[in-house]
Every structure is written in structure tokens, then in C-alpha cells.
Amino acid sequence: MTTQPQSPVTVTPPLPNRRNSELFLLAFAAVITTVALLLVGANQEQGLHWDLAQYTVAYLALFTGAHLAVRRFTPYADPLLLPVVALLNGLGLVMIHRLDLAAGGPSAKGLGGTANQQMLWTLVGVVVFSLVVIFLRDHRLLARYGYVCGLTGLILLAIPAVLPRSMSEENGAKIWIELPGFSIQPAEFSKILLLIFFAAVLVAKRSVFTSAGKHFLGMDLPRPRDLAPLLAAWIASVGVMVFEKDLGTSLLLYASFLVMVYIATERFSWVVIGLTLFAAGSVVAYYIFHHVQVRVQTWLDPFADPDGAGYQIVQSLFSFATGGIFGTGLGNGQPGTVPAASTDFIISAIGEELGLVGLAAVLMLYTIVIIRGLRTAIAVRDSFGKLLAAGLASTLAIQLFIVVGGVTKLIPLTGLTTPWLSYGGSSLLANYVLLAILVRISHSARRPIVTRPHTTPIAAASTEVIEKV
């Protein structure tokens, strides 16, 4: 008996994971950071020292270790996320070192002052990033602990409000937990925990948010009884603005929640209602609380008190004007004239010494991270991953808008730090955790779907006949 010839077996080659491209981009980021550091030293007449070479080696070794963790445990992750963040982190270290020199910091050799502390926090942040990549094997596991994350995030957000001022207040904002020799800004971590909670609730309770009520002005309004989650988020955000005097965190968390609700429901009515509630709460807070009035009046006319409440924003505007299009050059400006330049106003320092061109390049780096995060949200296959990735990317975009808008007088000052660029251990550590979760989701989105080969009924019957013969 003759048998039918079987079709040839096709072997699909493995898809490229572009980890070598990631390694090359990390090396390129190290080169840019080293050149920037040398320019600062040359223009400040610091000379060349072996400490700079040691810093470069340590920087490259640190991110090579992170690359190895990504290569081993998330081989299909987006190859642009880690190198772009490494470059932002490196430029931030260079600018913080520049501000140390402007403040009369160590000038004999190498780094020192807050730059050394930032390098230490970078080490901790990259290690935590690697640990999250290694031990978080599936981002969907976070959905199981959504309510736990939400409760923990709210507790962290509320702790500074109940602590005495001596342990929580700095520069007029009650956003710290200050202990002897150690301080932490819990809102940076509650941001990530609440995003996980929002994503888990929106997936589990999507029918509540999509239930249509009355039709008004071309929008399907939600039913009144379904507004409870939005009212809870509104009360929490207004409470942070009033009791902790932290407009930035209040606006960031509330805007992130509205973005995620809109993505989950595709109904603009939620955004309209949410923004109306926030605007009403802000107006009431303006007329009741003095610190809100001062913040708004300083924003409207900082030159009314240029040596007092408006001094910081006035100096920031002068820095941008001094930098012009191409900047004064690294090490040639006077960024130390802006108070808190290494934290809230590091964008002003970059605008002065790198100019509009350099600042636009830095903003483009953030844009790359945000766009790749949104592309990850589109590509990932599960609803929780889509919402979480979109929420993480949107939070970065909102935070960047709030920071840049504040230092350029587009919106009132908020006190938020620029992710991976500004000085601050809490911000750096929290944003590396955010990056690790985004890397894990991008691996799930980009990895190939493994399907088991199957035989058609005719082929299976032919095989059975052959075995009998």
C-alpha cells in the first residue's frame, strides 16, 4: 500500500530580541554621559582625574548588570526603554555634579556632594529594577493584589498628613517621612501602587463604568450610583492638595485615574465630570486656604514679589532667557542662582546650559519612553496589562507636563521632580520600579506566541492507516 507523501516540516527561526542593540545603546549612553562630564570639568577648570574614569566604569558596569538581567529574564522586552532611561539618569548625574560645583562643592577631583549620593541611589534603583525584573515573572500576578496595593498606597499617601510638621514638612509641603539620618517621600511609591489598583478595579468592574445613564450633549453620562469611585478619587486628591499642600501629587494621581478610566470605557463623559469636580474643588480650596492663594498668585504674577514668593520662578525664567537657543554650554552658565535647582528646577539648569535645542532633546528622550510604553499597551494581549502599561506611560507624560509647565510658568508650581533626572532617592527608586514593570509588560507584549503543531483530521487518519498496515 502506498502512502501519501507528508508535507515538509518548516522550521521557524527564532525572532530577534534585539538585546545586542540594547547593549550598544547603553554603551552609547555611557559615552554621552562621559563626554558631558568631561565638558563640565573642562569648563570649570577641574582637569582630568581618575575618579571620572572610575565613575564611567561604574556607570557602565551598573547598567550592564541591568542589561544582563533583562537579557536573561525578559529577552523580548523593548530594547529602547533601559538605554533611554540610563541616558536620562546619566545626564541628571552630570547636571547635579555641575550644580555641586556652582554651590561651592568639592572641586579637587571627581564627583562629590549630592552627585555621590545620587550615584548611590542610582545603584540602589538599578538593583531594585533588576530584582523586579527577575522575581516578577508575570505582570498579571499584580492584579491579584490590586486591593492590597490600593490600601497600601492610600496609607502611604496619608502618613505625612498625620505626622507632626517636624517629621513631615519641608519647604511648606507635608510630603515627607523624616527620621534621624533618613527621609522618604511616600507619595512616589503610592503612585505606582494606586496605578496597579486602578488597573485591577477597572478590569474587574468594567461594567460599572460602562453602564450608560442619560444622554446629554452627545455624551452617555454614567448613572449617579456609579460615580462612587470617581468621587473617592476626587476626595483623595483634594485632601492631598489641602492637608499636605501638595498640588503636584494631587493633580498627578487624579489625572492618571481619569486617563485610565477613559481608556477602559472610551467615554469622554467621565473625563468631563472628573475635570469639573477637580476644578470646583480647586476653586473652593483657593478661597478657603491661604497657601493655595499664595501659589496661584505667584503663578499669575511672580514679578509682584521677585525677592520673596516669586523669586524661584523669576530666576527660572531668567535662566531660560540666558540659555537662548543653543545654551551657554555645560559648565559655563550660572544654574546655582535658581533655588532647589537639582530637584524641582533641574529643567531650568538644562535650559540655561544646553539651550532650547538641548532641552528639546531631553524632552524627546522622555517622549520615546512614553511612546514605547503606549505601544506596549497596544500590543499586550490581556486587559490588565493594557491598562497598567497605559497608566504607567500616561503618568510619566502627565508628570513631565506638570514639571515643565511649572518651571516655565505655564501652570502653578507643584514641587514634583523630573523622573530619573532630578536629585532625590525616593523619586529615583520609585521610577526604576515603574520602569521594571513596564519592561516586564513589554516582554509579554513582544514575545512570540508559541503554538503546538497539530495534524488535520485527514493527516491523522492517514497516519492511523499506516500504523495498521
Side-chain angles (χ1 to χ4, degrees):
M1 180 178 180
T2 60
T3 60
Q4 296 180 353
Q6 297 183 357
S7 60
V9 178
T10 59
V11 179
T12 304
L15 295 176
N17 53 29
R18 302 184 65 186
R19 296 276 67 85
N20 292 333
S21 300
E22 180 183 84
L23 183 60
F24 172 78
L25 291 175
L26 283 172
F28 186 58
V31 170
I32 294 177
T33 303
T34 304
V35 171
L37 194 61
L38 292 175
L39 287 174
V40 169
N43 289 327
Q44 289 287 307
E45 299 181 356
Q46 296 296 304
L48 299 177
H49 301 281
W50 281 109
D51 282 3
L52 299 181
Q54 294 173 5
Y55 161 77
T56 302
V57 172
Y59 174 89
L60 189 56
L62 189 61
F63 283 100
T64 300
H67 162 76
L68 293 176
V70 172
R71 179 183 286 267
R72 172 63 179 84
F73 295 97
T74 55
Y76 291 99
D78 194 307
L80 292 179
L81 291 175
L82 183 60
V84 172
V85 169
L87 180 55
L88 288 170
N89 198 167
L91 293 177
L93 285 166
V94 172
M95 189 54 64
I96 292 170
H97 172 54
R98 166 70 184 97
L99 292 168
D100 283 342
L101 297 177
S107 58
K109 59 179 181 177
L111 301 180
T114 53
N116 270 345
Q117 299 175 23
Q118 185 76 346
M119 187 65 191
L120 178 61
W121 281 114
T122 300
L123 170 64
V124 176
V126 173
V127 169
V128 171
F129 165 84
S130 303
L131 292 176
V132 173
V133 168
I134 292 172
F135 291 104
L136 182 62
R137 295 303 182 92
D138 191 343
H139 65 273
R140 291 172 293 183
L141 295 175
L142 297 174
R144 300 180 182 178
Y145 306 97
Y147 289 94
V148 175
C149 290
L151 179 61
T152 306
L154 289 176
I155 292 174
L156 289 176
L157 202 60
I159 287 176
V162 300
L163 289 177
R165 290 186 175 182
S166 59
M167 298 178 61
S168 61
E169 186 169 342
E170 186 175 333
N171 297 325
K174 286 175 61 65
I175 58 176
W176 295 91
I177 300 176
E178 296 186 355
L179 301 174
F182 180 77
S183 62
I184 187 174
Q185 194 171 343
E188 293 288 346
F189 301 95
S190 66
K191 169 182 66 177
I192 300 175
L193 294 172
L194 290 176
L195 287 176
I196 296 172
F197 169 70
F198 293 157
V201 170
L202 287 171
V203 170
K205 307 293 183 180
R206 186 176 182 274
S207 59
V208 173
F209 292 90
T210 55
S211 298
K214 295 182 178 180
H215 191 77
F216 180 72
L217 294 178
M219 297 182 297
D220 291 325
L221 299 178
R223 297 174 300 182
R225 64 175 179 268
D226 297 332
L227 292 174
L230 180 62
L231 291 175
W234 175 73
I235 292 173
S237 63
V238 174
V240 170
M241 178 174 59
V242 170
F243 296 106
E244 297 185 2
K245 304 177 183 179
D246 188 5
L247 175 61
T249 301
S250 172
L251 182 58
L252 176 64
L253 293 178
Y254 192 68
S256 300
F257 173 73
L258 289 182
V259 168
M260 294 182 70
V261 169
Y262 176 71
I263 293 174
T265 62
E266 298 182 1
R267 290 187 175 174
F268 193 66
S269 57
W270 284 98
V271 179
V272 173
I273 296 173
L275 292 179
T276 303
L277 287 174
F278 189 81
S282 301
V283 171
V284 172
Y286 174 80
Y287 285 103
I288 294 178
F289 300 99
H290 177 69
H291 67 272
V292 179
Q293 296 178 9
V294 172
R295 186 68 62 88
V296 174
Q297 291 169 3
T298 302
W299 164 56
L300 292 175
D301 188 10
F303 291 93
D305 187 13
D307 296 325
Y311 180 76
Q312 197 173 31
I313 185 63
V314 167
Q315 293 300 115
S316 173
L317 295 176
F318 280 137
S319 294
F320 286 117
T322 303
I325 300 297
F326 298 103
T328 60
L330 283 172
N332 286 330
Q334 294 180 335
T337 59
V338 183
S342 62
T343 53
D344 302 0
F345 280 79
I346 198 167
I347 291 294
S348 301
I350 293 174
E352 180 180 358
E353 299 208 336
L354 297 181
L356 178 62
V357 174
L359 180 58
V362 172
L363 295 180
M364 283 301 299
L365 292 175
Y366 282 107
T367 304
I368 292 172
V369 177
I370 294 166
I371 290 177
R372 303 300 284 198
L374 294 176
R375 288 188 61 181
T376 295
I378 294 174
V380 74
R381 302 171 185 92
D382 64 288
S383 300
F384 174 75
K386 286 181 179 294
L387 278 179
L388 184 56
L392 295 174
S394 300
T395 297
L396 287 177
I398 295 169
Q399 184 168 348
L400 187 64
F401 170 77
I402 293 173
V403 170
V404 178
V407 300
T408 57
K409 196 181 166 295
L410 179 64
I411 61 175
L413 287 174
T414 59
L416 288 179
T417 57
T418 314
W420 301 295
L421 201 65
S422 298
Y423 172 76
S426 300
S427 174
L428 197 61
L429 185 58
N431 284 304
Y432 268 113
V433 173
L434 184 152
L435 177 66
I437 298 174
L438 201 55
V439 165
R440 169 55 67 182
I441 299 175
S442 71
H443 167 72
S444 299
R446 294 166 58 90
R447 67 183 176 186
I449 301 177
V450 179
T451 57
R452 294 182 179 181
H454 61 278
T455 57
T456 62
I458 297 177
S462 301
T463 305
E464 185 178 357
V465 170
I466 294 172
E467 290 177 352
K468 289 182 179 179
V469 173

